[in-house]
């Protein structure tokens, strides 16, 4: 049973702690929303779990039974992290950008796959337009298309719904819910209400220090 | 067993309040012999040692020049060693050492260049010669200035110190390459224009003061760096509990 | 591992091709520095030939300094760089791919443009081969060493001057052996020694620099 164990975690930028002694275990098929005001450390938490920042204290562990080759998987091999930034280069098209991102994530996708996912998401017309000519909402949707291409079990999503309209938000919620129903794990932050159909949403409040 | 004892000592010494406490007696233990040795070495070199049969009194500048040049190289190498410790074991003390040692090492490098140039005037008849050793020393000064500038430019003290650690390690790999490349270039271009003095083995009356001055200046280097580290430490840990408690107590 | 190397290399070359105006600017900068120099002297043939190795290499160094600032900055700003850091593949491989693409789009172009420029300076034609070879061996090292400097200064938006202070001292060996090989070729001496040394520097750079770049990127993003 894969699970994410966060133990006695204190995070901060520089020497100053933003929150302290967070304990959280996320098991198969669980999704949690991180609550907190601006500047309370929501983004820092996600980036620390992803391994971009080092915790001031505490541990983050990815537990999973060893695979066929006897090697336990590392968190990086199991992760899909979508941050504030879309990670799209303006001079490249959505197809080219997604192709690179999926390869770098160790989950290469063929051009047909990418194109059909973009078509499913209603982005067919812009699939071959350079990203600098897209609107903020379109760029966000292209970036989120990674969620349909990846098979990573652990999703870390930082404000995934920013710049999305109501319809796109519903599509996103449906995708997160499907992922969780299929046994995936997700940890996300959001300002807007996100209603995930047919799954229970856990809420995590960051303990002040 | 021995290893674990060493690691325990390593971590204990790495603990910042402990280091801050012991730094005062260590600094004192470095300062007193350092100043005495350096003073005796410089005095004996400038006054007591016999004049050089070729260079007359001009050679006496080596009592400043050689210790400075030695410390310029010692300083940078020690920064690189601390850099490896900082990058691999993430020891804060090593990060602080680099930041504190850089300006002091740069000062000694500058001193070595200045005294070398003053020495060059009577010897070569000009203030500056693109001699291999002087040129390498000049580039070493730029390496020091790079570390200092990088540290000043980056706002977060932790990131700045770690960036400086990496830069010193990269720099120290380059120092020998730079030195040999400059020497290679030097033999290609200058060759016979510089008359190299065929120095006989140094007279003991000249050598002892030099060794004494070199050792004394090295201890002074350690002393100054230690004080620099104390300042850095207080500044970086100013929000921590142990600094607060210490300031309370001293009031 | 190779898959990611090729993917990043191909993507960066594609980007360089899409933004080829920038490449033309770098090439023009290189040409202008060399072409303006004779106007500042009395343009006597012997003097120009004598200083041409230093001149060509200084122009290459300055052009490298300008172009290096774009090596990681766009990826840093749009968030692609953090995806590189999270990749299960080694970051050093990605760094090597980026430097390779950078070199093809800048260093290699200087190599191709150099024969024209050195002939403009009156360098004898028999030296052109060695000159191109020295640039071919030297410019990748500039990219590798410069990559460490750019990665370290990534969090600073305007790091141009600081970058020059960090990387120019490290460029001294390449400058010396590169210009040394040119000089030897011009006066008809064997240049093999200097070229071997340039090759040795390149070998050291390829094996060590990607790891240093990776470490520097991690420090800058933390």
């Amino acid at each position: 049973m894969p699970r994410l164990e966060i133990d006695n975690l204190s995070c901060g930028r520089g020497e100053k702690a933003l929150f302290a002694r967070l304990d959280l275990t996320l098991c198969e098929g669980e999704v949690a929303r991180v609550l907190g005001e601006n500047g309370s450390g929501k983004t820092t938490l996600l980036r620390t779990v992803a391994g971009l920042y080092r915790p001031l204290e505490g541990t983050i562990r990815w537990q999973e039974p060893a695979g066929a080759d006897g090697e336990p998987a590392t968190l990086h091999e199991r992760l899909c992290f979508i941050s504030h930034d879309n990670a799209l280069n303006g001079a490249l098209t959505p197809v080219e950008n997604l192709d690179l991102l999926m390869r770098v994530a160790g989950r290469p996708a063929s051009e047909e796959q990418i194109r059909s996912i973009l078509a499913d998401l209603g982005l067919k017309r812009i699939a071959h337009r350079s990203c600098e000519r897209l609107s903020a909402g379109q760029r966000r949707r292209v970036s989120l298309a990674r969620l349909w291409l990846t098979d990573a079990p652990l999703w870390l999503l930082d404000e995934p719904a920013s710049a999305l309209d109501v319809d796109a938000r519903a599509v996103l919620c449906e995708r997160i819910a499907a992922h969780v129903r299929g046994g995936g794990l997700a940890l996300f932050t959001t300002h807007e209400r996100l209603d995930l159909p047919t799954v229970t949403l856990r809420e995590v409040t960051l303990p002040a220090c | 067993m021995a290893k674990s004892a060493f690691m325990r000592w390593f971590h204990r010494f790495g603990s910042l309040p402990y280091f801050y406490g012991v730094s005062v007696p260590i600094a004192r233990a470095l300062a007193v012999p350092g100043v005495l040795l350096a003073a005796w070495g410089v005095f004996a070199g400038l006054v007591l040692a016999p004049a050089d049969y070729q260079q007359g009194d001009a050679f006496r500048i080596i009592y400043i020049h050689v210790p400075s040049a030695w410390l310029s190289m010692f300083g940078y190498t020690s920064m690189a060693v601390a850099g490896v410790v900082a990058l691999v074991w993430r020891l804060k003390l090593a990060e602080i050492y680099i930041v504190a040692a850089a300006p002091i090492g740069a000062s000694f490098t500058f001193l070595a260049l200045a005294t070398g140039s003053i020495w060059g005037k009577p010897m070569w008849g000009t203030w500056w010669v693109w001699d291999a050793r002087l040129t390498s020393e000049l580039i070493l000064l730029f390496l020091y200035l790079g570390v200092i500038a990088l540290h000043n430019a980056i706002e977060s003290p932790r990131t700045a110190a770690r960036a400086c650690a990496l830069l010193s390690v990269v720099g120290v790999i380059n120092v020998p390459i730079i030195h040999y490349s400059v020497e290679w270039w030097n033999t290609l271009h200058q060759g016979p224009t510089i008359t190299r003095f065929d120095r006989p083995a140094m007279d003991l009356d000249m050598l002892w003061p030099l060794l004494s001055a070199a050792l004394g200046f090295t201890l002074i280097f350690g002393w100054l760096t230690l004080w620099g580290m104390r300042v850095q430490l207080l500044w970086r840990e100013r929000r921590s509990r142990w600094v607060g408690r210490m300031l309370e107590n001293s009031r | 591992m190779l898959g990611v190397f090729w993917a990043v290399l191909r993507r960066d070359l594609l980007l360089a091709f899409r933004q080829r105006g920038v490449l033309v600017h770098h090439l023009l900068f290189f040409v202008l520095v060399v072409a303006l120099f004779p106007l500042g002297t009395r343009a006597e043939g012997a003097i120009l030939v004598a200083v041409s190795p230093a001149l060509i290499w200084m122009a290459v160094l300055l052009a490298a300094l300008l172009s290096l600032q774009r090596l990681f900055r766009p990826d840093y700003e749009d968030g692609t760089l953090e995806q590189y850091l999270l990749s299960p593949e080694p970051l050093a491989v990605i760094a090597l791919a980026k430097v390779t693409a950078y070199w093809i789009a800048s260093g290699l172009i200087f190599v191709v443009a150099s024969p024209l420029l050195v002939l403009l300076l009156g360098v004898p034609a028999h030296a052109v081969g060695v000159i191109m070879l020295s640039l071919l061996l030297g410019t990748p090292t500039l990219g590798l060493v410069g990559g460490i400097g750019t990665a370290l200064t990534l969090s600073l938006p305007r790091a141009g001057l600081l970058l020059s202070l960090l990387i120019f001292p490290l460029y001294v060996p390449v400058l010396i052996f590169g210009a040394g090989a040119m000089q030897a070729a011009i006066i008809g001496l064997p240049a093999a020694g200097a070229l071997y040394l340039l090759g040795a520097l390149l070998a050291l750079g390829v094996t060590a620099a990607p790891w240093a770049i990776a470490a520097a990127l991690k420090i800058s993003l933390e």
Side-chain angles (χ1 to χ4, degrees):
Chain A
M1 273 251 303
R3 67 179 184 276
L4 177 72
E5 288 175 4
I6 297 175
D7 222 13
N8 191 30
L9 184 71
S10 302
C11 292
R13 302 299 298 127
E15 309 289 316
K16 199 173 154 283
L18 288 169
F19 61 87
R21 287 178 290 284
L22 171 74
D23 291 304
L24 171 70
T25 303
L26 212 56
C27 294
E28 227 180 9
E30 287 194 314
V31 53
R33 174 185 172 190
V34 188
L35 299 178
E37 298 154 24
N38 285 338
S40 62
K42 294 186 300 260
T43 296
T44 305
L45 170 66
L46 290 193
R47 296 177 73 88
T48 308
V49 173
L52 287 169
Y53 296 159
R54 288 182 76 88
L56 295 178
E57 238 180 299
T59 53
I60 297 156
R61 268 193 306 266
W62 176 252
Q63 302 279 15
E64 188 184 309
D69 53 354
E71 289 277 316
T74 62
L75 192 126
H76 274 180
E77 292 168 286
R78 290 292 180 258
L79 178 73
C80 177
F81 175 60
I82 295 194
S83 74
H84 277 291
D85 298 314
N86 289 326
L88 302 175
N89 188 298
L92 298 178
T93 66
V95 172
E96 289 159 350
N97 270 310
L98 288 171
D99 179 61
L100 177 86
L101 287 173
M102 294 320 293
R103 270 176 206 280
V104 167
R107 300 166 193 284
S110 69
E111 201 188 316
E112 285 76 53
Q113 265 174 301
I114 297 174
R115 257 193 305 205
S116 79
I117 292 291
L118 286 175
D120 290 349
L121 294 174
L123 297 166
K124 191 176 181 181
R125 271 188 324 117
I126 58 164
H128 291 284
R129 212 179 275 178
S130 61
C131 282
E132 62 201 350
R133 285 162 53 207
L134 307 183
S135 74
Q138 284 172 322
R139 271 201 292 263
R140 193 62 179 162
R141 283 161 69 193
V142 170
S143 188
L144 286 170
R146 276 180 281 167
L147 296 179
W148 278 263
L149 292 163
T150 187
D151 58 352
L154 176 62
W155 290 6
L156 300 174
L157 315 174
D158 196 1
E159 297 292 343
S162 66
L164 294 188
D165 59 25
V166 181
D167 294 342
R169 209 175 293 168
V171 174
L172 171 67
C173 289
E174 181 45 53
R175 176 62 191 140
I176 297 175
H179 169 67
V180 172
R181 279 197 302 271
L185 293 73
L187 188 63
F188 68 92
T189 69
T190 172
H191 282 302
E192 302 86 353
R193 258 180 70 85
L194 287 188
D195 294 313
L196 304 183
T198 68
V199 292
T200 32
L201 179 63
R202 288 175 56 184
E203 300 206 318
V204 180
T205 315
L206 295 178
C209 50
Chain B
M1 226 30 237
K3 194 193 164 210
S4 83
F6 172 75
M7 284 314 279
R8 239 181 296 140
W9 172 84
F10 189 72
H11 282 287
R12 184 156 158 235
F13 196 76
S15 118
L16 302 181
Y18 177 77
F19 167 79
Y20 192 82
V22 298
S23 63
V24 178
I26 295 180
R28 229 172 265 147
L30 292 173
V32 175
V35 171
L36 288 178
L37 281 171
W40 184 76
V42 171
F43 173 76
L46 295 185
V47 181
L48 302 180
D52 188 85
Y53 77 104
Q54 262 184 330
Q55 304 188 17
D57 280 333
F59 96 97
R60 291 182 194 278
I61 203 165
I62 65 165
Y63 294 103
I64 306 289
H65 178 74
V66 171
S68 308
W70 145 247
L71 280 175
S72 67
M73 279 174 265
F74 170 78
Y76 202 83
T77 315
S78 69
M79 278 162 60
V81 172
V84 172
V85 174
L87 292 173
V88 177
W89 289 288
R90 300 187 150 255
L91 202 66
K92 269 192 195 171
L93 214 49
E95 296 173 7
I96 291 175
Y97 175 81
I98 297 169
V99 174
I104 299 166
S107 311
F108 276 112
T109 314
F110 181 77
L111 204 59
L113 278 170
T115 49
S117 159
I118 292 169
W119 193 9
K121 183 63 183 167
M123 291 301 109
W124 297 321
T126 164
W127 293 109
W128 185 261
V129 168
W130 289 95
D131 159 72
R133 268 178 297 178
L134 271 180
T135 311
S136 316
E137 195 73 15
L138 180 66
I139 291 164
L140 184 61
L141 179 63
F142 289 140
L143 288 176
Y144 269 116
L145 294 180
V147 173
I148 296 171
L150 185 64
H151 181 257
N152 289 341
I154 300 178
E155 212 169 306
S156 149
R158 198 83 210 268
T159 311
R162 295 182 60 74
C164 289
L166 186 70
L167 186 63
S168 342
V169 176
V170 172
V172 93
I173 296 171
N174 267 271
V175 164
I177 302 177
I178 291 172
H179 183 79
Y180 285 112
S181 66
V182 171
E183 211 154 69
W184 182 88
W185 162 77
N186 202 250
T187 50
L188 199 71
H189 289 247
Q190 303 269 346
T193 57
I194 305 170
T195 35
R196 292 204 180 276
F197 296 104
D198 200 13
R199 271 204 215 100
M202 230 181 168
D203 191 86
L204 277 185
D205 287 344
M206 294 179 178
L207 187 63
W208 279 116
L210 183 60
L211 291 178
S212 165
L215 184 59
F217 275 115
T218 309
L219 295 179
I220 290 174
F221 177 94
W223 169 42
L224 293 177
T225 308
L226 213 52
W227 278 102
M229 287 172 75
R230 283 168 60 87
V231 174
Q232 280 292 329
L233 194 60
L234 275 188
W235 178 249
R236 273 179 60 164
E237 299 286 310
R238 63 190 181 280
R239 290 203 198 86
S240 74
R241 242 171 281 148
W242 67 270
V243 172
R245 230 180 298 132
M246 201 177 60
L247 292 178
E248 278 305 275
N249 291 343
S250 68
R251 236 174 240 146
Chain C
M1 232 163 77
L2 267 179
V4 165
F5 181 87
W6 289 119
V8 174
L9 180 67
R10 216 175 44 132
R11 178 254 196 186
D12 274 20
L13 286 177
L14 183 66
L15 263 179
F17 177 72
R18 294 255 164 92
Q19 301 167 334
R20 48 197 174 275
V22 180
L23 300 190
V24 175
H25 293 166
H26 286 147
L27 187 59
L28 277 180
F29 175 85
F30 179 58
V31 173
L32 269 175
V33 170
V34 176
L36 284 189
F37 184 84
L39 305 180
T41 67
R42 274 191 297 139
E44 280 168 24
I47 296 176
L48 275 186
V49 172
V51 299
S52 62
L55 174 57
I56 295 277
W57 273 96
M58 283 314 291
V60 169
L61 254 52
L62 290 172
L65 179 70
L66 283 180
S67 52
L68 269 170
Q69 296 178 42
R70 303 283 304 157
L71 179 54
F72 295 113
R73 174 121 345 243
D75 288 347
Y76 176 67
E77 282 168 356
D78 69 23
T80 310
L81 197 60
E82 60 191 24
Q83 296 294 330
Y84 290 157
L85 257 73
L86 295 178
S87 171
E89 310 286 345
L91 184 57
V93 170
I94 297 177
L96 185 62
K98 287 202 71 78
V99 173
T100 309
Y102 159 79
W103 173 73
I104 292 173
S106 71
L108 195 56
I109 291 182
F110 297 158
V111 176
V112 174
S114 60
L116 208 66
L117 286 174
V118 293
L119 293 178
L120 207 66
L121 294 170
V123 169
H126 65 79
V128 168
V130 171
I131 290 173
M132 286 181 75
L133 202 55
S134 78
L135 284 169
L136 195 66
L137 288 169
T139 45
T141 314
L142 299 185
L144 287 161
V145 173
I148 304 173
T150 6
L152 280 177
T153 53
L154 205 54
S155 57
L156 309 167
R158 293 193 209 304
L161 281 174
L162 178 62
L163 186 62
S164 65
L165 186 56
L166 297 191
I167 61 177
F168 275 5
L170 301 178
Y171 280 173
V172 166
V174 178
L175 173 66
I176 286 178
F177 296 130
M182 275 195 194
Q183 197 93 59
I186 289 171
I187 52 181
L189 289 175
L195 291 176
Y196 286 142
L197 288 166
L198 276 177
L201 289 179
L202 176 57
L204 179 67
V206 167
T207 43
W211 303 100
I213 295 174
L217 288 174
K218 282 180 187 155
I219 290 173
S220 279
L221 255 79
E222 201 174 302

